[in-house]
Amino acid sequence: MTTCRSCLVFLIVLIAGPAAGQAVVVASQQGARLTRIEGEAVTASFTVPASPAVVAADGRGRLYVSHPDGRAVSVIEPDGAVRRLPLPAQAFGLAVEPDGSRLYVGDWSGHRVLCLSLPTGAVAGEIPVGPDPASLVLGEPGRLYVAEREGRSVGVIDMGALRRVGGLPVGDGPFALAYDPDLARLYVANVRSNDVTVIDAAAGQVLATIPVGTAPYGVAVVSGGGPVLVTNQHAASVSVIEARALSVSATIPVGRYPEGVAILGGFAYVANWFSDDVSVIDLAARKEVRRLPVAEGPRTLAVARIAPAEAAR
């Protein structure tokens, strides 16, 4: 276990912030930093090990960061400790169970998903999947979905048996996934066919294929039939899909080469890789209201829990 002592003060602020609630955390891959955003403001930033790709959070205040080049995952504990979990894998996509008991890690070059027992990081299982697993997302109870980018499919994993039990056909180059638990819908951004596949996860059936902008790379959803936001890398825009109508209702200009997107409260946050900033979108107004500078190469975002300040004392 290794601990980044220079990060401890920031981490206490990040995990135990000034008030109970949540914040958005942004991973900047080239800048090797995490940045916290609350509302329309950056409130903290700190250095992490090189080339962070995907950031995820559990329901107990832990953060998880994948490092494909370093073949490792960083775990940031609520007490401020930063641990490095070395893996026999090119770690990329992440999904964590809400109670923090298990972490699922996509092995980009190994065409598999590893299941890690937490907090030790021991490998509890290995699940072969389709080629180039990208995003992972928890879905129906006991189900994990993985975007198999080179397989034109989404793999369905039985989390109890730790095996792939099926595949759902989608568009070309599926990369990002978002799940709406209220509607039991899975949204799949297909980066090469420039569309989003909407799947009835309970039935395992495709409901619609919705054209969006060029190279859709990230997707996030307001559960319960709210708007679905899709970043379009090559168009520097975000498409807004209305879940009830299954059609695009708005296209919002953002920064250059948008990648990840997250939704918190009445805002959506978009990581703009080439312009080194995060677009803040007012969901009600359907427009960008602020652009926040962050470290070089912002790529992914996660909504993280913030505990009361007293927890840090």
Side-chain angles (χ1 to χ4, degrees):
M1 179 182 79
T2 58
T3 300
C4 176
R5 297 185 183 277
S6 66
C7 299
L8 293 183
V9 173
F10 171 84
L11 288 168
I12 291 173
V13 174
L14 174 67
I15 302 299
Q22 294 177 307
V24 170
V25 178
V26 185
S28 293
Q29 189 164 15
Q30 291 162 293
R33 295 184 74 82
L34 294 187
T35 301
R36 185 184 73 190
I37 298 173
E38 295 178 79
E40 299 179 49
V42 169
T43 56
S45 179
F46 78 105
T47 301
V48 294
S51 300
V54 176
V55 59
D58 66 20
R60 297 189 173 185
R62 289 193 191 100
L63 296 174
Y64 307 85
V65 183
S66 65
H67 306 274
D69 296 338
R71 302 180 73 83
V73 170
S74 293
V75 181
I76 304 171
E77 298 285 351
D79 65 1
V82 181
R83 298 185 298 133
R84 180 179 182 274
L85 303 179
L87 294 174
Q90 190 179 12
F92 186 71
L94 301 175
V96 59
E97 296 195 17
D99 63 0
S101 60
R102 283 181 166 186
L103 176 69
Y104 299 89
V105 182
D107 181 358
W108 183 265
S109 57
H111 315 321
R112 59 182 177 166
V113 171
L114 300 181
C115 173
L116 308 185
S117 293
L118 297 173
T120 64
V123 177
E126 175 183 321
I127 307 120
V129 295
D132 291 1
S135 297
L136 310 177
V137 70
L138 301 180
E140 290 291 280
R143 289 290 186 263
L144 173 72
Y145 299 101
V146 53
E148 299 167 337
R149 194 188 68 167
E150 298 305 316
R152 298 177 62 100
S153 62
V154 170
V156 183
I157 292 174
D158 183 318
M159 295 161 62
L162 291 180
R163 65 185 179 91
R164 186 182 186 277
V165 293
L168 304 170
V170 293
D172 191 5
F175 193 87
L177 304 174
Y179 182 73
D180 182 344
D182 294 330
L183 298 183
R185 279 188 188 172
L186 183 67
Y187 296 87
V188 185
N190 304 303
V191 72
R192 293 198 191 106
S193 52
N194 303 326
D195 52 29
V196 171
T197 304
V198 185
I199 295 172
D200 180 331
Q205 296 178 345
V206 173
L207 296 176
T209 299
I210 304 170
V212 290
T214 308
Y217 198 85
V219 60
V221 59
V222 177
S223 62
V228 180
L229 274 71
V230 182
T231 61
N232 303 308
Q233 269 188 339
H234 298 172
S237 68
V238 170
S239 297
V240 181
I241 296 173
E242 300 303 329
R244 301 297 183 185
L246 292 175
S247 62
V248 173
S249 63
T251 300
I252 304 169
V254 292
R256 295 171 56 213
Y257 217 71
E259 297 213 342
V261 55
I263 296 172
L264 179 59
F267 297 105
Y269 301 84
V270 178
N272 302 310
W273 173 271
F274 283 173
S275 52
D276 300 330
D277 51 31
V278 171
S279 293
V280 182
I281 294 173
D282 183 316
L283 291 176
R286 298 289 202 267
K287 69 177 182 178
E288 181 190 60
V289 294
R290 196 168 302 279
R291 201 172 292 180
L292 304 172
V294 294
E296 185 180 7
R299 185 163 194 182
T300 60
L301 311 93
V303 175
R305 175 179 174 269
I306 302 177
E310 289 75 16
R313 296 174 186 158

